[in-house]
Amino acid sequence: MKEKRASLLFFGALALVYVSIFLLLCRTPLYDFTSTRGAHNDFLFSSDDVYYVSSFFSTTMDTSLRVIKHPLLVVIGWLCTRAEHLALGGISLKLHYELIVMAQLCVSLLSTFYLRRILEEHYRLERRWALLLCAVYALAFSTLFFTFIAEHFILSALLLIMSFYYARDRKTWLLVLLGALTAGITTTNAALWAAIVWFSGEPTAADRRRRILTLFLGGTCFCVMVALSPARAIFFQNIIGGGMNSFYNYGDHYGFWDTVRRVFFAFFGSTFFYLDTAAASPFGDFAGHALSFLPSAAAPVTAAMVLWVILLGWGAVQGRGSQLLWAPLAVLLCNLTLHGLFQYGLKEGFLYSLHHLPAQLLITALALRPEAEPGPRLSAGRALAVFLACVILLNLPGYGALARFIMGK
């Protein structure tokens, strides 16, 4: 009963915090990009919210080459907007934006709920440790940002977390649907879903056959859903050429040490914290009218990042003999390979935070399992509590600076 009450209090408080932030943001020009803030993408940290709100979520389906990256998302956005138009008639673009964010708020709370279920049911964590990790997820800068800015990343996070959950529960048909949706929201995330499915299995011949079948059905389901959608012609005609062009356009070529620094701050910095910023987009556009993260931060923030890397490594070492380690580790390594080794989108590394944040949390959770020694487990829990305090307190000045920028002050 006590544990149930703790969960209710946690999610009630989290919902209250989220709703309060949303109501405050509604009083700013953030959602009214046709007036004060200026109607251009990359306004904040490379987010394409203007395009997302006005083209993806539109009564006319998007037919640009962006469809190859998000083939089912553009269809979902088009259908949702048509339903909105039928229910509410012609509404302002500001209200349209706010309705999208309200939906994302619910998606964000649901992703936190599924994360708690994974931590308690699969990792068998005590509720206090599970809720502590959920708080880190829910209050991390990237989670908050992509909850309240119209973008697809919070939806991708939910689908990946649900994939982690149902892969361990062997729910094949749910996994197949999740695979199709995951790829349909962001095509490259098909690799992350596949890694979750493959590395969540048991080392038996029967389970290997089940995983192969799941991967085949997931890929088939995705292709069928796209083939039946209005996006089919654009997607299938341009997937190879458009994909190669995207990799060329967004691939970076930094030197070794510059790459290491940028990966460190993108994966373990801006994922959780508000870092140092530049008053322009990552590509140098919109000088004075955009914000982007630099690969640097104040000393306390950098120290907190180092603490997180230690906790992450501690979890990996503690779970080295566990089957629970391999799926989240594979997801993290896939992201590191794509954005670190191949440097795809590394300049905008913050954008992909929610593609690997759940995996990082699950790796860290291994240090808090009942199998861990009581002393080290308690130390890991205390270190995690310190990290959560850092996530909350060290981000406050950044939130203030962000608010002043949005208000044009």
Side-chain angles (χ1 to χ4, degrees):
M1 193 65 183
K2 269 187 179 180
E3 290 191 343
K4 186 175 287 189
R5 191 181 300 120
S7 285
L8 288 173
L9 286 172
F10 174 83
F11 282 99
L14 183 59
L16 181 61
V17 168
Y18 276 19
V19 170
S20 298
I21 293 172
F22 174 66
L23 293 175
L24 285 172
L25 291 174
C26 286
R27 300 172 66 88
T28 74
L30 182 61
Y31 300 141
D32 190 15
F33 56 73
T34 58
S35 59
T36 312
R37 58 161 276 195
H40 65 77
N41 289 319
D42 295 347
F43 178 65
L44 295 175
F45 312 114
S46 286
S47 61
D48 288 342
D49 63 325
V50 173
Y51 196 92
Y52 191 82
V53 169
S54 58
S55 296
F56 275 16
F57 279 77
S58 169
T59 53
T60 304
M61 203 193 81
D62 187 31
T63 56
S64 73
L65 287 183
R66 290 176 186 244
V67 169
I68 65 174
K69 292 183 182 179
H70 315 285
L72 296 181
L73 177 61
V74 297
V75 177
I76 292 169
W78 169 60
L79 292 174
C80 287
T81 308
R82 292 192 65 177
E84 172 197 275
H85 189 75
L86 287 173
L88 302 176
I91 61 174
S92 69
L93 202 55
K94 180 176 184 290
L95 179 56
H96 177 57
Y97 196 138
E98 290 168 353
L99 290 173
I100 293 171
V101 173
M102 287 174 62
Q104 291 185 176
L105 192 154
C106 297
V107 167
S108 187
L109 290 172
L110 186 59
S111 65
T112 308
F113 173 76
Y114 264 98
L115 179 61
R116 182 193 66 79
R117 292 189 68 178
I118 293 171
L119 294 170
E120 293 187 357
E121 295 177 22
H122 299 162
Y123 287 68
R124 298 189 296 111
L125 264 59
E126 295 177 36
R127 182 143 299 178
R128 56 174 175 163
W129 302 135
L131 293 181
L132 190 57
L133 281 162
C134 285
V136 171
Y137 171 78
L139 299 177
F141 177 77
S142 58
T143 305
L144 288 175
F145 182 82
F146 290 118
T147 296
F148 297 105
I149 291 291
E151 266 282 14
H152 65 278
F153 296 102
I154 196 66
L155 179 56
S156 292
L158 172 63
L159 294 173
L160 289 171
I161 290 171
M162 290 179 70
S163 296
F164 276 117
Y165 181 75
Y166 289 112
R168 298 297 307 177
D169 275 8
R170 310 290 190 269
K171 298 293 172 64
T172 300
W173 289 109
L174 266 173
L175 267 179
V176 167
L177 179 60
L178 284 168
L181 291 174
T182 299
I185 300 303
T186 302
T187 310
T188 52
N189 276 2
L192 304 185
W193 173 81
I196 292 170
V197 171
W198 187 256
F199 289 100
S200 295
E202 298 294 332
T204 63
D207 195 70
R208 195 176 299 112
R209 287 192 295 271
R210 180 192 63 81
R211 283 177 280 153
I212 292 172
L213 178 62
T214 302
L215 293 174
F216 172 76
L217 291 175
T220 302
C221 184
F222 166 71
C223 291
V224 169
M225 289 176 73
V226 175
L228 294 175
S229 78
R232 57 185 174 274
I234 300 170
F235 181 79
F236 288 115
Q237 289 173 12
N238 296 281
I239 181 62
I240 297 176
M244 294 299 293
N245 190 53
S246 175
F247 198 87
Y248 175 78
N249 288 337
Y250 294 99
D252 293 310
H253 303 88
Y254 297 110
F256 178 77
W257 289 114
D258 198 13
T259 299
V260 169
R261 179 168 60 93
R262 287 177 177 274
V263 166
F264 177 66
F265 280 96
F267 276 75
F268 313 115
S270 56
T271 299
F272 300 98
F273 297 104
Y274 191 96
L275 306 182
D276 294 340
T277 58
S281 79
F283 300 94
D285 299 325
F286 311 115
H289 299 283
L291 279 182
S292 60
F293 281 129
L294 296 171
S296 63
V301 173
T302 304
M305 291 165 55
V306 171
L307 173 60
W308 177 255
V309 172
I310 292 171
L311 278 168
L312 187 65
W314 194 343
V317 170
Q318 289 290 318
R320 62 190 180 278
S322 172
Q323 189 73 22
L324 293 168
L325 172 64
W326 303 118
L329 184 60
V331 168
L332 181 57
L333 290 177
C334 281
N335 278 280
L336 285 168
T337 300
L338 179 63
H339 305 301
L341 182 62
F342 295 139
Q343 299 189 32
Y344 177 76
L346 182 55
K347 193 183 276 94
E348 303 175 294
F350 168 68
L351 285 179
Y352 311 105
S353 297
L354 294 187
H355 292 171
H356 53 79
L357 174 57
Q360 292 194 48
L361 291 164
L362 294 180
I363 293 170
T364 303
L366 292 165
L368 299 168
R369 290 191 308 153
E371 289 83 352
E373 292 291 330
R377 183 171 70 242
L378 184 59
S379 297
R382 287 171 175 169
L384 186 63
V386 170
F387 182 75
L388 175 61
C390 291
V391 167
I392 295 170
L393 298 175
L394 296 180
N395 277 329
L396 292 178
Y399 292 138
L402 184 57
R404 290 190 293 273
F405 180 80
I406 292 170
M407 297 299 292
K409 296 180 180 178

